[in-house]
């Protein structure tokens, strides 16, 4: 048993290490910011361009290193941009807060709350388990279908994975005596379902604009480059490779990470018991379901009937408030939505300003020059692979999209890649990268925190799954978009 003095020494050492780590993080952020800030301004770039690039790069590094919460880092970056005159306070610094795309994301966060608060999301998951859950593979398909059904109206893929899918995965693993405590136990079922749920989440996130918070931002950046992508266009392009990937991925995962328990005959009965316990659908669940269907119709037909996607989302929120499925108290308590509003508004404002100052165009030309002379297909393949695997340096899909999407899209178009094809392909990649590592995305963090998967397992399985996704989305997805005329 350790002595009191040794215990006290350990308690003192831990805060000291934390402070040292914090100092090093802040020093690295300041160093990167100042180095870029004082670089000579390239030809064709506004004199403030490198100042903005330095502050933006420092903010992105802050999001990766996380010395403070995400929204705090963003606000500090904004303060630096304003106080140095890099962004005019009245006309430039706050422009992101008026971005309709960001408000679409915020509204969709509240709509997703409806699935959790009414219990409709859990009911859908249990229903699929009762129908498909006689084997570990069947259970994984049940979770995949749950994720797919909820994804069009759940921009927080973390909420979808952590609030609906993971609790069911945990329950199924526990019922089948699979616990994180030992290798034998966790590998019985829990590890397989956990890893598969993350890879499935990356696929469903890629299938709809409103399935991951960074997707509407990619659409906005594409519009800045002259490429218009509607909700329906994205969904149509993604539907075939997405469905193929959802069919293939659980089976592939069962081969590269074989669960110790292949048959789960008791799972359907357990799910039916839970469904019986929660009883028939409540008024709130029916209201949520009706609102969800209405939103899908408005999002799919929006460009045809002249209804803006953000307007449709707010109509959905209004219906849920009037019916009291949601209350203002529920919305005010959704810290994720308000943090997203601040974080996205600041970063989108900065990225837009970088584009206005000519920095994005200059970087895009430089990147395009590195693959210049290649046929556009080969050049785009190189750019796509770099864009995919550079995510090992990021702890957020959205952070990478904000930092790099516009640059790589500009470079791809400069090499001759069809603009719509390039914009959609890079948009899909911005989701598929979410399972590369245990820190790659919010869902990955949730699942890793469960203790079912080790770090080494995650890197190995995550890389193999990424290869499968790249092949499906490149070959089948590319062919499908060619048939749709998106290569023109």
């Amino acid at each position: 048993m350790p002595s009191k003095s040794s215990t006290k020494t350990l308690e003192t050492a831990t805060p000291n290490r934390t402070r040292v780590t914090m100092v090093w993080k802040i020093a690295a952020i300041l160093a990167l910011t100042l180095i870029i800030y004082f670089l000579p301004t390239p030809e064709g770039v506004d004199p403030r361009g490198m100042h903005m690039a330095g502050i933006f790069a420092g903010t992105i590094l802050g999001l990766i290193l996380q010395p403070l919460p995400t929204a705090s880092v963003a606000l500090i970056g904004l303060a630096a941009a304003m106080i140095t005159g890099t962004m005019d306070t009245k006309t430039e610094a706050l422009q992101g807060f008026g971005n309709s795309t960001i408000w679409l994301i915020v509204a969709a966060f509240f709509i997703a709350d409806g699935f959790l608060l009414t219990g409709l999301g859990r009911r859908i998951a249990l229903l699929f388990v009762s129908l498909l859950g006689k084997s570990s593979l069947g259970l994984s398909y049940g979770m995949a279908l749950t994720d797919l059904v909820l994804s069009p109206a759940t921009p927080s893929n973390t909420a979808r994975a952590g609030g609906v899918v993971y609790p069911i995965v945990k329950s199924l693993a526990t019922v089948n005596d699979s616990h994180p405590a030992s290798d034998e136990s966790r590998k019985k079922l829990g590890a397989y379902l956990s890893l598969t749920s993350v890879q499935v989440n990356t696929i469903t996130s890629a299938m709809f604009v409103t399935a991951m918070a960074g997707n509407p931002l990619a659409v906005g950046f594409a519009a800045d480059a002259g490429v218009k992508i509607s909700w329906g266009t994205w969904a149509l392009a993604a539907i075939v490779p997405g469905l193929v990937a959802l069919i293939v991925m659980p089976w592939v995962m069962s081969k590269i990470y074989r669960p110790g328990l292949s048959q789960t005959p008791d799972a359907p009965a357990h799910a039916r018991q839970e469904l019986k316990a929660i009883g028939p659908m409540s008024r709130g669940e029916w209201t949520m379901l009706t609102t969800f269907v209405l939103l899908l119709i408005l999002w799919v037909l929006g460009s045809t009937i002249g209804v803006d996607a953000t307007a449709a989302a707010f109509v959905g929120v209004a219906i849920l408030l009037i019916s009291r499925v949601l209350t203002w108290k529920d919305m005010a308590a959704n810290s994720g939505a308000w943090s997203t509003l601040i974080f996205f508004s600041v970063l989108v404002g900065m990225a837009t300003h970088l584009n206005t100052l000519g920095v994005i165009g200059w970087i895009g030309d430089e990147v395009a020059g590195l693959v210049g002379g290649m046929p556009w297909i080969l050049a785009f393949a190189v750019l796509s692979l770099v864009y995919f695997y550079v995510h090992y340096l990021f702890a957020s899909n959205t952070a990478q999209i904000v930092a790099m999407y516009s640059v790589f899209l500009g470079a791809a178009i400069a090499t001759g890649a069809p603009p719509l094809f390039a914009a959609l392909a890079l948009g899909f990649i911005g989701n598929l990268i979410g399972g590369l590592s245990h820190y790659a995305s919010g869902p990955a963090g949730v699942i890793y925190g469960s203790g079912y998967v080790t770090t080494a397992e995650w890197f190995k399985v995550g890389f193999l799954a990424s290869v499968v996704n790249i092949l499906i989305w490149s070959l089948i997805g590319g062919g499908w978009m060619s048939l749709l005329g998106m290569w023109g």
Side-chain angles (χ1 to χ4, degrees), residues 137-229:
L137 185 59
L139 289 174
S140 66
Y141 280 119
M143 295 301 96
L145 285 170
T146 301
D147 205 320
L148 176 62
V149 168
L150 299 180
S151 59
T154 318
S156 173
N157 55 347
T158 305
R160 195 164 71 244
V164 178
V165 175
Y166 173 67
I168 302 297
V169 166
K170 175 71 172 177
S171 174
L172 291 169
T174 302
V175 165
N176 286 280
D177 197 29
S178 178
H179 308 280
S182 69
D183 280 354
E184 183 181 358
S185 181
R186 66 181 181 81
K187 289 181 178 180
K188 190 174 181 181
L189 183 63
Y192 163 71
L193 290 181
S194 297
L195 281 168
T196 304
S197 69
V198 170
Q199 298 303 331
V200 161
N201 185 268
T202 69
I203 297 165
T204 58
S205 296
M207 292 179 70
F208 306 98
V209 169
T210 44
M212 199 276 282
N215 291 345
L217 299 183
V219 170
F221 293 143
D224 292 340
V227 184
K228 184 178 180 182
I229 304 173

Side-chain angles (χ1 to χ4, degrees), residues 105-118:
I105 298 167
V106 173
F109 263 87
F110 299 136
I111 294 164
D113 268 354
F115 282 101
L116 297 176
L117 293 171
T118 61

Side-chain angles (χ1 to χ4, degrees), residues 140-454:
S140 66
Y141 280 119
M143 295 301 96
L145 285 170
T146 301
D147 205 320
L148 176 62
V149 168
L150 299 180
S151 59
T154 318
S156 173
N157 55 347
T158 305
R160 195 164 71 244
V164 178
V165 175
Y166 173 67
I168 302 297
V169 166
K170 175 71 172 177
S171 174
L172 291 169
T174 302
V175 165
N176 286 280
D177 197 29
S178 178
H179 308 280
S182 69
D183 280 354
E184 183 181 358
S185 181
R186 66 181 181 81
K187 289 181 178 180
K188 190 174 181 181
L189 183 63
Y192 163 71
L193 290 181
S194 297
L195 281 168
T196 304
S197 69
V198 170
Q199 298 303 331
V200 161
N201 185 268
T202 69
I203 297 165
T204 58
S205 296
M207 292 179 70
F208 306 98
V209 169
T210 44
M212 199 276 282
N215 291 345
L217 299 183
V219 170
F221 293 143
D224 292 340
V227 184
K228 184 178 180 182
I229 304 173
S230 69
W231 194 95
T233 300
W234 182 300
L236 180 62
I239 191 68
V240 169
L243 290 177
V244 171
L246 285 178
I247 292 169
V248 170
M249 188 59 73
W251 178 81
V252 168
M253 293 295 288
S254 73
K255 300 303 178 184
I256 61 179
Y257 196 96
R258 191 181 300 275
L261 185 67
S262 59
Q263 300 301 313
T264 55
D266 297 331
H270 176 70
R272 285 191 289 270
Q273 266 186 343
E274 295 207 31
L275 283 169
K276 185 176 180 180
I278 60 179
M281 283 182 61
S282 64
R283 182 188 67 84
E285 287 178 279
W286 280 113
T287 303
M288 187 64 236
L289 180 59
T290 304
T291 304
F292 177 47
V293 172
L294 173 63
L295 281 171
L296 288 181
I297 293 171
L298 291 176
W299 281 333
V300 171
L301 300 178
S303 59
T304 303
I305 62 179
V307 176
D308 180 77
T310 304
F314 271 89
V315 167
V317 172
I319 292 172
L320 297 180
L321 285 170
I322 291 169
S323 62
R324 298 196 63 78
V325 168
L326 283 181
T327 65
W328 173 249
K329 187 175 180 181
D330 297 324
M331 293 170 64
N334 191 331
S335 60
W338 301 116
S339 177
T340 296
L341 172 63
I342 294 171
F343 161 47
F344 281 11
S345 296
V346 171
L347 289 188
V348 168
M350 286 183 174
T352 301
H353 195 47
L354 277 172
N355 195 39
T356 302
L357 297 176
V359 177
I360 297 296
W362 169 68
I363 297 175
D365 290 341
E366 292 296 311
V367 173
L370 297 175
V371 291
M374 297 181 184
W376 76 260
I377 293 182
L378 180 58
F380 186 70
V382 172
L383 291 172
S384 297
L385 287 173
V386 172
Y387 188 65
F388 200 111
Y389 289 109
V390 77
H391 193 65
Y392 279 119
L393 303 177
F394 285 86
S396 162
N397 301 63
T398 304
Q400 179 171 328
I401 290 168
V402 172
M404 306 185 76
Y405 179 88
S406 294
V407 171
F408 275 74
L409 177 59
I413 293 173
T415 64
L420 181 57
F421 167 76
L424 285 167
L426 291 173
F428 300 153
I429 291 172
N431 297 275
L432 301 175
I433 55 181
L436 273 178
S437 65
H438 59 294
Y439 56 82
S441 62
V446 169
I447 298 302
Y448 181 71
S450 70
Y452 276 106
V453 186
T454 67

